[in-house]
């Protein structure tokens, strides 16, 4: 913990670091003060209220009273504790807001636009700025981040970068300066200092982008799935300090799964993975770290989304919570729907550029827009379009090629009514 606190102190955002270090040191649990409907995992029912064995009836009621008193004190403490954490999440969320562009978690994405009733992000500026599109993939150990990411990469134009894998290969790399530190963190289930994981991530992202360029692809033609980051507020601070000038964070896929299910999955993965941390002890530590340190970050990101919506009428950051307890196929359905909504930004951006090129500046002429994404790389944008006072149904087909989304066909016919 001391090493982590030291690493956090190195991050220049001193105010933010001191807040979050305190949060991490106290080992916060998952609370939700902002989104009704998401259950809390802590509450006063955890306070022991049982009677002591062998007590006389009088003693028993006295003991019971004492316990009640203790319980109510604990409830008050709990509330203060929760309030304090809520304040910290709120503070963290506001620090991530795009008020000061250089510190914003979302990077250089402009506020959302609307096209025929659909809110989307105009991603056209990202290619010029050489900004990588990023989606964070979060969840406890064994939640299915790797499994779902692999499937996303098969279907969508995405690159999967697992921070855990980058670290594991870093730990074994001869001559790598942080190998021992990384090895120790992995075995003990601790979070690696942010400079170390971001350093490896930056190299990997640049390598992949350069590979794509060498293959004749556009700089921003792929979305990076950053698996296992940010794990705590220190990671968020590190990201905001080092990454916004060349990344645009579209949002996060969060895989939620209880520990009993995760344990079974980790044990079965251990049979073939050869991973030093695929054992129950490491898995439990990693799960606790996720619960205490990563879940408050998820809450803060959700809060950023809400604050952005309040400010812009739509958010730049989109946090998608996915129930990961079902079968791979069930989880995939939710993943696919989330990915389609991320990809819709690029589809509608390409569509708007095309309309502009064709000289159609009046976006009010488009109503009832609907976007269907098929197999990750085919899209159909349908809408009602008014031309010279006549409403026509328009259908544009787009495809995700090497340089991004391109229109491959247009159909238009007179609306029936
Ligand atoms: P993570 O990357 O989140 O640590 P993995 O994707 O490696 O998790 O999944 C952990 C193990 O659980 C793997 O052996 C994987 O095959 C299995 N698994 C993943 N998702 C599911 C699921 N929805 N149902 C059952 N097993 C799963």
């Amino acid at each position: 913990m001391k090493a982590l606190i030291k690493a956090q102190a190195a991050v220049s955002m001193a105010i933010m670091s001191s807040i979050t270090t305190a949060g991490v040191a106290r080992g916060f649990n998952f609370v939700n003060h902002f989104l009704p409907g998401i259950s809390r995992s802590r509450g006063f029912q955890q306070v022991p209220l049982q009677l002591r064995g062998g007590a006389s009836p009088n003693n028993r009621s006295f003991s019971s009273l004492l316990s009640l008193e203790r319980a109510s004190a604990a409830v008050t403490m709990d509330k203060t504790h929760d309030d304090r954490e809520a304040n910290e999440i709120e503070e963290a969320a506001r620090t991530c807001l795009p008020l000061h562009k250089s510190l914003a978690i979302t990077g250089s994405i402009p506020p959302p636009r609307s096209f025929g009733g659909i809110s989307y992000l105009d991603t056209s500026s990202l290619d010029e700025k050489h900004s990588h599109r990023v989606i964070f993939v979060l969840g406890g150990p064994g939640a299915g981040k790797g499994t779902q990411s692999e499937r996303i990469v098969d279907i969508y134009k995405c690159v999967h970068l697992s921070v855990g894998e980058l670290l594991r290969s870093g730990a074994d790399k001869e001559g790598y300066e942080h190998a021992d530190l990384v090895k120790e963190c992995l075995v003990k289930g601790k979070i690696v200092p942010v400079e170390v994981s971001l350093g490896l991530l930056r190299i990997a992202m640049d390598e992949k982008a350069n590979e794509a360029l060498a293959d004749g692809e556009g700089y921003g033609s792929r979305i990076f799935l950053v698996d296992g980051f940010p794990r705590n507020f220190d990671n968020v601070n590190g990201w905001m300090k080092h990454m916004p000038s060349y990344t645009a964070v579209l949002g996060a896929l969060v895989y939620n799964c209880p520990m009993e299910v995760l344990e079974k999955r980790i044990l079965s993965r251990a049979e073939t993975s050869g991973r030093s941390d695929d054992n129950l002890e490491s898995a439990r530590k990693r799960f606790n770290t996720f619960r205490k340190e990563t879940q408050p970050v998820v809450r803060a990101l959700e809060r950023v989304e809400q604050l952005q919506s309040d400010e812009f009428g739509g958010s730049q950051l989109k946090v998608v919570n996915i129930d990961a307890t079902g079968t791979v196929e069930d989880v995939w359905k939710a993943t696919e729907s989330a990915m389609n909504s991320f990809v819709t930004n690029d589809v509608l951006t390409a569509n708007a550029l095309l309309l502009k090129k064709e000289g159609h500046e009046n976006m009010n002429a488009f109503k009832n827009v609907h976007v269907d994404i098929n197999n990750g790389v085919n899209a159909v944008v349908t809408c009602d379009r008014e031309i010279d006072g006549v409403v026509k149904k328009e259908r544009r087909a787009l495809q995700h090629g090497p340089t991004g989304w391109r229109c491959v066909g247009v159909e238009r016919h007179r609306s029936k009514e």
Side-chain angles (χ1 to χ4, degrees):
M1 178 56 71
K2 265 190 187 150
L4 267 182
I5 291 170
K6 236 181 175 175
Q8 278 180 322
V11 177
S12 71
M13 295 173 65
I15 301 170
M16 183 68 189
S17 283
S18 65
I19 292 164
T20 55
T21 304
V24 169
R26 276 199 301 277
F28 284 141
N29 278 328
F30 166 33
V31 289
N32 171 50
H33 290 269
F34 307 112
L35 292 184
I38 294 180
S39 64
R40 291 167 167 223
S41 69
R42 65 177 293 136
F44 69 85
Q45 69 270 22
Q46 286 175 351
V47 176
L49 255 177
Q50 76 273 22
L51 304 178
R52 303 244 160 81
S56 70
N58 277 346
N59 277 348
R60 195 174 284 170
S61 58
F62 177 64
S63 155
S64 165
L65 265 178
L66 267 184
S67 299
L68 268 174
E69 203 174 85
R70 229 179 281 137
S72 89
V75 171
T76 318
M77 271 177 59
D78 217 22
K79 190 172 178 309
T80 321
H81 177 275
D82 283 1
D83 285 349
R84 219 179 314 137
E85 188 186 26
N87 289 338
E88 283 166 355
I89 289 174
E90 182 75 13
E91 183 114 23
R94 288 192 183 276
T95 313
C96 295
L97 265 182
L99 298 176
H100 311 284
K101 295 272 183 204
S102 60
L103 295 180
I105 186 93
T106 31
S108 53
I109 306 179
R113 290 187 171 186
S114 175
F115 177 64
I118 295 191
S119 168
Y120 75 100
L121 300 176
D122 181 343
T123 54
S124 56
S125 61
L126 300 182
D127 290 6
E128 294 153 30
K129 290 180 183 160
H130 281 198
S131 273
H132 302 303
R133 292 156 174 76
V134 167
I135 297 172
F136 296 137
V137 183
L138 299 170
K145 302 182 291 298
T147 306
Q148 296 296 325
S149 297
E150 210 174 289
R151 207 145 165 191
I152 295 174
V153 169
D154 277 350
I155 305 227
Y156 297 83
K157 292 205 175 270
C158 286
V159 176
H160 176 225
L161 292 176
S162 157
V163 175
E165 269 166 35
L166 291 173
L167 290 169
R168 278 190 291 280
S169 59
D172 294 335
K173 209 184 229 164
E174 224 170 279
Y176 174 52
E177 54 179 331
H178 302 301
D180 288 343
L181 170 71
V182 170
K183 217 175 276 172
E184 191 196 331
C185 289
L186 288 178
V187 171
K188 293 189 175 163
K190 289 198 297 187
I191 290 171
V192 174
V194 66
E195 284 77 8
V196 174
S197 30
L198 279 183
L200 289 168
L201 197 57
R202 282 183 76 155
I203 292 169
M205 281 172 123
D206 288 344
E207 271 176 11
K208 293 285 176 190
N210 288 334
E211 269 172 38
L213 282 176
D215 288 348
E217 293 192 14
Y219 192 86
S221 61
R222 283 168 197 264
I223 296 175
F224 284 93
L225 302 169
V226 175
D227 175 345
F229 197 98
R231 288 184 189 256
N232 59 12
F233 283 122
D234 180 47
N235 279 185
V236 175
N237 288 341
W239 186 280
M240 290 197 296
K241 186 179 174 203
H242 300 289
M243 308 297 263
S245 55
Y246 83 123
T247 57
V249 179
L250 302 171
L253 297 171
V254 186
Y255 292 95
N256 299 302
C257 197
M259 187 60 204
E260 311 85 78
V261 178
L262 299 182
E263 281 183 6
K264 281 189 200 138
R265 290 186 190 171
I266 293 282
L267 286 180
S268 95
R269 187 172 67 183
E271 289 168 15
T272 53
S273 74
R275 277 173 56 167
S276 63
D277 56 350
D278 266 353
N279 58 69
L280 278 190
E281 203 192 341
S282 278
R284 282 178 188 150
K285 279 185 193 155
R286 281 155 57 218
F287 183 72
N288 266 338
T289 306
F290 173 73
R291 214 166 48 87
K292 290 177 181 169
E293 302 190 28
T294 311
Q295 277 179 332
V297 167
V298 173
R299 302 285 85 79
L301 295 179
E302 285 166 349
R303 184 67 182 133
V304 172
E305 182 179 357
Q306 194 186 319
L307 290 169
Q308 286 178 344
S309 289
D310 293 348
E311 195 173 332
F312 306 122
S315 68
Q316 288 146 304
L317 196 74
K318 189 181 179 72
V319 181
V320 186
N321 277 288
I322 293 174
D323 176 2
T325 45
T327 62
V328 171
E329 203 52 45
D330 287 341
V331 183
W332 171 248
K333 277 187 196 130
T335 302
E336 189 180 28
S337 142
M339 283 306 300
N340 286 349
S341 67
F342 285 120
V343 162
T344 293
N345 294 318
D346 287 336
V347 171
L348 287 181
T349 299
N351 191 53
L353 284 175
L354 192 74
L355 289 172
K356 203 170 167 192
K357 235 189 229 167
E358 291 171 359
H360 310 295
E361 298 285 349
N362 178 17
M363 293 300 159
N364 293 330
F366 299 88
K367 300 253 167 10
N368 302 322
V369 172
H370 189 80
V371 181
D372 280 312
I373 314 279
N374 302 307
N375 292 324
V377 290
N378 296 299
V380 176
V381 180
T382 45
C383 65
D384 291 334
R385 179 172 181 184
E386 196 183 320
I387 302 175
D388 301 330
V390 180
V391 176
K392 299 197 169 177
K393 280 247 173 265
E394 192 168 282
R395 196 174 172 277
R396 282 171 187 263
L398 291 96
Q399 234 169 41
H400 196 171
T403 52
W405 288 89
R406 293 284 172 270
C407 183
V408 289
V410 183
E411 273 176 29
R412 201 175 292 147
H413 50 87
R414 215 183 162 105
S415 201
K416 287 212 170 77
E417 70 281 15

